[in-house]
Amino acid sequence: MPVDYEVNAHKYWNDFYRIHENGFFKDRHWLFTEFPELAPCQNQNHLKDLLLGNKRNEIPECRSSEDGHGLTVEEQHKCPSTTLESKAQMFSVEEMVTQKLNHLEICADAFPGSSATYRILEVGCGAGNTVFPILQTNNDPGLFVYCCDFSSIAVELVQTNAEYDPSRCFAFVHNLCDEDQNYPVPRDSVDVIILIFVLSAVLPDKMQKAINRLSRLLKPGGMMLLRDYGRYDMAQLRFKKGQCLSENFYVRGDGTRVYFFTQDELDTLFTTAGLEKVQNLVDRRLQVNRGKQLTMYRVWIQCKYRKPLLSTTS
């Protein structure tokens, strides 16, 4: 029954991690190639870049005939075409960023990692195959990683891992679709949110609200990174009759569910949540399992969407 798979979803995922523990998925070291936003030094001068980005956006008259490269902010201020109104807009943007930071300082004692300068949140962390490569690779002292999963067994696997460091990481149980369950961070406080093969496990009708909630956590300029199953992936084509719960939404033999996306569907989810497209591509790969002598055609979709920088109308 489809209702059973929704009501008992936590049970099926707990059973999955109880059986496989941390041996099912491999550590995702490819993350730093596909998502350099997770690599070291990404938080260097992050606020400065945010402010300068807003200033460049607010004074287009000062750009060169191409993209304005080579002009420093000071030089742009000296451009004769810069108006008093544009200067006032720049100061207004800086004031809003300051207000946002002051708000975070007020909440400083209320959440883990409050003193961090670069915050990453992974939703659907599983046994930590994304979290631990990040912690091992990115030794920036200003980094703090949050990770959550629907499965309490998965979170326990993360917390009991020898690499888990509470001073740099906070793992917690969270239902992505529970609108009454708060995240342990304030709004506008996270630099990067990661969704790796997790949104596809959510009931399609609940996806939009889940992305809306996550979008509110991002700082202006913050990024949401996704990699998930694409339409007509080998896994979809191998499902048998009776395993389809609704259009492009299936149940596996272990009771866990999976949806197969199109690029347009994901674009609608993210843009409806107020995010801007940076990347939305299909990754088609031919995988060969020599041991089982299988050829597998994989279809994944990879997305990067950014929360708009502050403007005078926000």
Side-chain angles (χ1 to χ4, degrees), residues 69-85:
H69 289 170
L71 281 180
T72 65
V73 173
E74 288 76 19
E75 289 170 336
Q76 290 181 13
H77 286 180
K78 295 175 183 177
C79 291
S81 59
T82 302
T83 65
L84 290 175
E85 182 181 357

Side-chain angles (χ1 to χ4, degrees), residues 152-165:
S152 58
I153 301 296
V155 172
E156 184 178 349
L157 288 170
V158 173
Q159 294 173 336
T160 56
N161 190 301
E163 297 289 334
Y164 184 70
D165 182 355

Side-chain angles (χ1 to χ4, degrees), residues 262-282:
T262 65
Q263 290 171 277
D264 288 343
E265 286 173 337
L266 286 167
D267 185 69
T268 298
L269 286 171
F270 288 124
T271 54
T272 300
L275 305 178
E276 302 171 335
K277 181 172 72 174
V278 176
Q279 181 188 80
N280 184 326
L281 58 83
V282 176

Side-chain angles (χ1 to χ4, degrees), residues 58-72:
E58 295 296 341
I59 44 176
E61 302 92 337
C62 299
R63 295 184 178 182
S64 67
S65 58
E66 296 182 8
D67 59 4
H69 289 170
L71 281 180
T72 65

Side-chain angles (χ1 to χ4, degrees), residues 197 200 226-237 258-263 266 280-287 296-302:
F197 298 107
S200 54
L226 174 141
R227 191 171 177 86
D228 220 320
Y229 298 103
R231 189 69 48 85
Y232 308 125
D233 175 63
M234 173 209 70
Q236 180 179 13
L237 300 179
V258 58
Y259 186 83
F260 295 87
F261 293 98
T262 65
Q263 290 171 277
L266 286 167
N280 184 326
L281 58 83
V282 176
D283 184 354
R284 293 184 175 87
R285 300 196 183 195
L286 175 63
Q287 290 185 333
M296 300 171 286
Y297 296 91
R298 306 313 308 264
V299 181
W300 299 310
I301 297 182
Q302 182 167 301

